[in-house]
């Protein structure tokens, strides 16, 4: 399935806001499949701020039983430089968050975008902003992709395995899609 374009079940309008990825969201989705395929599957443009692109550098791949690090392919991802109106919010948020999360939330809040993150602190801060920023988790995005692509259980298992190995990620028990992940990640 890796590298296969998955068409969205229902196309979204061209004016649908893009989806911003922070570093953990970017790494998790890029480990699952090429970002071009993620964008096609969810029917949205994917964006990351320059700080995230500079932060999310490598994924791990299992090759003949050994783990190798490879650069992240940012193809299919638009890289954004913060505008002057977003810089003050970025500086304010950077006092409590890492640069990538702070810059992502600053841009997303000003532009009305949702953010993919698995960082609990960034999610909490996003909910406290006025207006708040909608957060999506990596697990919810992968569940959406699996559902829209009508993937078979073995393909979902492969998708989740690539994330577990490549990005060293499993959702925490507090994630709403934790049970779904565990049911599909387990061998039959």
């Amino acid at each position: 399935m890796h590298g296969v374009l998955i068409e969205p079940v229902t196309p979204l309008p061209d004016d649908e806001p893009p989806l911003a990825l922070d570093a953990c969201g970017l790494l998790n989705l890029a480990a699952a499949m090429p970002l071009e395929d993620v964008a096609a599957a969810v029917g949205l443009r994917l964006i990351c701020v320059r700080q995230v692109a500079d932060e999310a550098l490598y994924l791990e791949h299992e090759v003949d039983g050994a783990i190798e690090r490879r650069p992240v392919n940012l193809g299919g991802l638009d890289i954004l430089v913060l505008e002057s109106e977003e810089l003050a919010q970025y500086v304010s948020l950077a006092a409590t968050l890492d640069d990538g999360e702070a810059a992502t939330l600053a841009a997303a809040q000003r532009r009305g975008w949702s953010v993919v993150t698995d960082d609990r602190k960034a999610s909490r801060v996003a909910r406290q902003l006025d207006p708040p920023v909608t957060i999506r988790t990596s697990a919810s995005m992968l569940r959406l992709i699996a559902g829209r692509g009508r993937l078979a259980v073995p393909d979902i298992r492969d998708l989740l395995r690539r994330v577990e190995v490549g990005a060293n990620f499993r959702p925490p028990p507090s994630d709403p899609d934790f049970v779904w992940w565990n049911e599909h990640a387990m061998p039959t």
Side-chain angles (χ1 to χ4, degrees):
M1 196 213 64
H2 192 62
V4 174
L5 184 65
I6 301 170
E7 294 297 327
V9 173
T10 49
L12 296 172
D14 289 337
D15 61 347
E16 185 73 23
L19 188 60
L21 309 178
D22 79 349
C24 59
L26 187 157
L27 289 172
N28 293 337
L29 295 178
M33 62 179 42
L35 293 170
E36 297 97 339
D37 294 353
V38 172
V42 299
L44 296 172
R45 270 180 53 223
L46 301 180
I47 306 282
C48 81
V49 294
R50 168 55 56 199
Q51 291 84 341
V52 167
D54 292 343
E55 204 175 295
L57 301 176
Y58 296 98
L59 290 171
E60 295 182 347
H61 295 270
E62 195 170 343
V63 178
D64 298 327
I67 301 294
E68 292 181 358
R69 285 178 48 163
R70 294 186 188 158
V72 174
N73 180 351
L74 298 178
L77 186 65
D78 292 334
I79 300 173
L80 173 79
V81 175
L82 293 179
E83 294 180 358
S84 59
E85 298 85 12
E86 297 157 342
L87 291 175
Q89 178 72 318
Y90 162 59
V91 170
S92 173
L93 292 170
T96 57
L97 298 172
D98 288 338
D99 281 353
E101 284 85 6
T104 301
L105 289 180
Q109 182 191 26
R110 180 173 165 276
R111 298 164 191 246
W113 297 345
S114 295
V115 171
V116 177
T117 186
D118 296 292
D119 185 280
R120 290 190 331 207
K121 189 173 187 179
S123 296
R124 187 179 69 249
V125 169
R127 287 189 301 273
Q128 295 169 348
L129 293 173
D130 185 24
V133 172
T134 301
I135 296 296
R136 300 175 188 272
T137 65
S138 295
S140 72
M141 296 303 297
L142 294 170
R143 186 174 187 176
L144 174 68
I145 290 166
R148 285 188 171 182
R150 296 186 181 101
L151 300 181
V153 171
D155 292 330
I156 297 171
R157 188 177 317 113
D158 290 345
L159 184 86
L160 300 180
R161 174 80 176 134
R162 285 193 299 272
V163 176
E164 290 174 357
V165 170
N168 196 28
F169 175 80
R170 283 184 69 88
S174 60
D175 190 299
D177 291 300
F178 175 77
V179 171
W180 172 84
W181 186 291
N182 284 333
E183 287 173 353
H184 288 85
M186 298 288 177
T188 56

